[in-house]
Amino acid sequence: MSVLECRDLTKRFSSRTALDRLNLTLPAGRIVGLLGPNGSGKTTLIKIICGLLTADEGTVLVDGHAPGIEAKRRIAYLPDRPAMGEWMSPADLIAYFADFYPDFQAETAAEMITRLGVPFDGPVRALSKGNREKVQLSLVMSRRARLYLLDEPIGGVDPAARDFILRTIISNYNQNSTVLISTHLIADVENVLDDVVFIREGQILLHDSVDNLREQHGKSIDLLFREVFA
Amino acid sequence: MTFKLIKHEFRATRRLMLPLLAALLATSLLTRFSADFLTAVGDPGGFFVMLAGLLSTTYSVLAFSAGFITAFFMAQRFYRSMLGDEGYLSFTLPVSVHQLVLSRLLVAVFWFALSALIEIFAVFAMLYEAGFWRLLTEELPGLVRIFFVDFDLNFTLYALEWAAIAVVMLASGVLMVYASFATGQLFKRNRLLMSFLSFLGYVLFSQTLIVIISLPLTSIPMPDLDLAVGLHVVFLLFLLGTVLYAAFYYMVTVFLLGRKLNLE
């Protein structure tokens, strides 16, 4: 069974169509890059999959479940902004995740946060933007989810932290799960991706494995992206 | 999961509510003691008079504003945790919208009720005079008992009915604010303004509905009931009406946040 299945997904905002009869199926065991220019529908697609927006038409199934409690149990979502209570400390957040997600590994999260050099006990509001993103990613990647939805996971962090985050993503996911990464920083993530999905104006333009695309076009995904979206 | 949500909601709200209510309690007691001290000593000097004045002013401001602060904080907490950036975390938890709304509602009602009790206590502390407690604990219950015995009324039952009405009215007010936010989030821009306008709309709608329902009732001949039964009937009808009113706003909130969530 596929981990994610989107059928004829359509979402309109006033006069703008953000997703236009989008179809996408992701099997287990893949790290997939969701790539597209600003306003192409990446974040809208991710929000619909995890239930933060409702689609106007079409269906979404996560591990066979429509958006709802069962689907949310299977999704680990990293939003494109800090979504933690600013008054909470990383220690509070670990306790919070442990309370709600049975697949959350508190020790792993604590170890990751410590290795990233983020203060453990102070409130999140006292942390830099980069450190907040590190804490949030550590929490999300410490789950044993079926589908990881990472919206711009390396957007706000320094290059050293980017490497750590990408290593974390590779080492923490397993063959039963799928990671969908939305990003602009293609050159940075290219080497960790198994597949890429190009999205433009709410429609899937291309969905193939990185190896196939490199072989067919004789260029990196970064260069191919620039060519396609020039 | 609902209990876990309630536990975390308490953690999120107590950091502001506990200091506020503790300050209200402390200033009321200190103001009371300082007034007694000034009365006993006569003229203790400018510093003590100034201190007593400062305490009294702080108490007055807190006593006047505690309800507003509680209301503002509870509204802000709901908006931020559900429709602000924190909503991204709240709505991806493996819980239902019912559980999210219910946990916030129960905690808000708890803080409003506690604020009201502490306000009442603070007022009693300020009004305290020699013999006040004797009046409050001995004579007043006696008078109340006489009233209830004379009219053959069940005090416990009435007290329960009043308490239930107070709690449900409180909840319905909170839910109307939640429904307003849930309506405001449907708009792309100016969501807070749209929430406020929705609130005004819901107030107008509620008032109109009450008038429409009440007017025909005035023409219905009153049944010949004795006072005890008649009062119970009135209270229970009022309680039922308030429950329906609260249920309406609860359903509006849950429907809009469940089916029309728009965390754009």
Side-chain angles (χ1 to χ4, degrees):
Chain A
M1 188 202 296
S2 53
V3 173
L4 174 68
E5 198 171 333
C6 302
R7 286 278 162 267
D8 296 326
L9 217 51
T10 301
K11 178 69 183 175
R12 296 180 200 91
F13 294 115
S14 308
S15 57
R16 187 172 67 87
T17 302
L19 296 182
D20 188 6
R21 298 178 67 81
L22 181 142
N23 290 290
L24 179 66
T25 302
L26 299 181
R30 311 294 287 174
I31 300 180
V32 184
L34 181 63
L35 314 175
N38 287 337
S40 56
K42 302 188 296 291
T43 297
T44 302
L45 173 61
I46 287 179
K47 284 183 180 176
I48 289 175
I49 296 168
C50 57
L52 296 176
L53 286 174
T54 44
D56 296 323
E57 291 161 30
T59 55
V60 178
L61 294 176
V62 177
D63 211 15
H65 298 277
I69 295 177
E70 283 306 318
K72 286 174 184 176
R73 278 202 184 106
R74 289 159 171 81
I75 296 172
Y77 168 57
L78 179 78
D80 59 350
R81 66 194 71 197
M84 306 159 290
E86 293 201 328
W87 52 274
M88 294 172 100
S89 67
D92 292 333
L93 285 161
I94 288 174
Y96 187 86
F97 268 63
D99 258 355
F100 291 106
Y101 298 108
D103 62 6
F104 180 71
Q105 296 175 310
E107 297 81 18
T108 308
E111 190 191 318
M112 281 170 70
I113 290 168
T114 308
R115 270 169 58 199
L116 283 164
V118 179
F120 210 72
D121 291 321
V124 165
R125 82 167 75 85
L127 300 176
S128 65
K129 184 172 179 276
N131 276 346
R132 287 184 200 191
E133 292 191 6
K134 288 176 191 171
V135 170
Q136 203 157 253
L137 183 87
S138 302
L139 294 165
V140 169
M141 294 312 297
S142 298
R143 286 189 55 202
R144 288 286 163 264
R146 281 282 278 160
L147 177 62
Y148 296 86
L149 298 171
L150 312 179
D151 199 355
E152 299 289 352
I154 54 172
V157 295
D158 55 79
R162 273 179 203 173
D163 290 342
F164 178 86
I165 288 168
L166 293 173
R167 279 200 307 276
T168 304
I169 292 170
I170 297 168
S171 58
N172 280 42
Y173 105 106
N174 59 62
Q175 287 302 312
N176 291 323
S177 56
T178 286
V179 182
L180 184 65
I181 305 174
S182 155
T183 184
H184 295 98
L185 303 166
I186 300 164
D188 286 297
V189 299
E190 184 169 340
N191 291 332
V192 306
L193 299 179
D194 296 313
D195 300 331
V196 289
V197 173
F198 281 7
I199 180 171
R200 180 161 65 189
E201 293 173 358
Q203 289 183 321
I204 302 294
L205 205 64
L206 177 156
H207 180 188
D208 207 342
S209 75
V210 168
D211 291 342
N212 275 351
L213 289 171
R214 280 183 183 145
E215 201 176 320
Q216 277 175 24
H217 297 275
K219 57 186 73 165
S220 69
I221 301 300
D222 189 29
L223 281 176
L224 181 63
F225 179 87
R226 288 165 198 263
E227 199 176 283
V228 170
F229 292 103
Chain B
M1 284 292 187
T2 309
F3 288 108
K4 287 178 181 173
L5 286 168
I6 289 171
K7 179 180 86 176
H8 287 285
E9 192 59 17
F10 264 116
R11 280 188 184 161
T13 48
R14 74 182 177 198
R15 71 207 157 87
L16 272 180
M17 289 308 299
L18 284 182
L20 171 71
L21 298 178
L24 179 61
L25 255 182
T27 52
S28 69
L29 291 173
L30 287 171
T31 305
R32 176 74 241 172
F33 293 142
S34 66
D36 288 347
F37 175 73
L38 289 182
T39 310
V41 172
D43 184 12
F47 173 74
F48 286 103
V49 173
M50 197 177 73
L51 189 67
L54 192 67
L55 275 170
S56 169
T57 308
T58 312
Y59 163 73
S60 306
V61 170
L62 278 174
F64 180 74
S65 58
F68 292 108
I69 294 173
T70 306
F72 175 79
F73 182 55
M74 288 302 129
Q76 185 200 44
R77 169 69 196 155
F78 182 82
Y79 188 79
R80 282 191 177 171
S81 70
M82 301 283 272
L83 301 167
D85 287 349
E86 250 187 277
Y88 285 66
L89 188 57
S90 303
F91 280 105
T92 48
L93 292 174
V95 297
S96 66
V97 178
H98 280 288
Q99 289 171 309
L100 286 173
V101 174
L102 193 63
S103 60
R104 277 143 182 86
L105 172 67
L106 291 175
V107 172
V109 168
F110 170 82
W111 286 122
F112 274 117
L114 190 63
S115 294
L117 290 176
I118 289 177
E119 286 263 16
I120 291 167
F121 177 82
V123 169
F124 278 159
M126 294 302 290
L127 293 175
Y128 176 81
E129 295 286 345
F132 177 79
W133 289 115
R134 196 180 58 78
L135 176 74
L136 193 70
T137 56
E138 292 173 22
E139 294 191 12
L140 193 62
L143 289 172
V144 171
R145 204 175 303 120
I146 289 167
F147 173 80
F148 278 88
V149 169
D150 277 2
F151 289 98
D152 194 20
L153 305 175
N154 183 333
F155 176 75
T156 313
L157 196 56
Y158 282 108
L160 284 173
E161 284 170 1
W162 291 337
I165 287 171
V167 168
V168 178
M169 280 184 77
L170 202 54
S172 64
V174 172
L175 284 165
M176 192 157 77
V177 174
Y178 289 178
S180 307
F181 281 133
T183 310
Q185 61 99 31
L186 297 173
F187 295 87
K188 192 173 169 62
R189 292 193 182 85
N190 304 317
R191 291 179 169 188
L192 278 176
L193 176 66
M194 297 318 287
S195 300
F196 180 67
L197 293 177
S198 304
F199 180 75
L200 294 182
Y202 283 132
V203 169
L204 194 66
F205 167 74
S206 305
Q207 300 292 336
T208 312
L209 201 66
I210 289 167
V211 170
I212 289 171
I213 292 171
S214 309
L215 275 178
L217 291 179
T218 54
S219 58
I220 297 173
M222 287 299 288
D224 188 20
L225 299 171
D226 70 44
L227 181 67
V229 177
L231 279 176
H232 282 306
V233 170
V234 169
F235 285 156
L236 289 176
L237 279 176
F238 188 68
L239 181 61
L240 178 70
T242 319
V243 166
L244 290 175
Y245 181 78
F248 170 75
Y249 286 113
Y250 180 83
M251 295 315 291
V252 168
T253 306
V254 169
F255 173 78
L256 292 177
L257 295 182
R259 301 284 180 87
K260 303 285 176 188
L261 182 64
N262 185 22
L263 285 184
E264 199 182 333

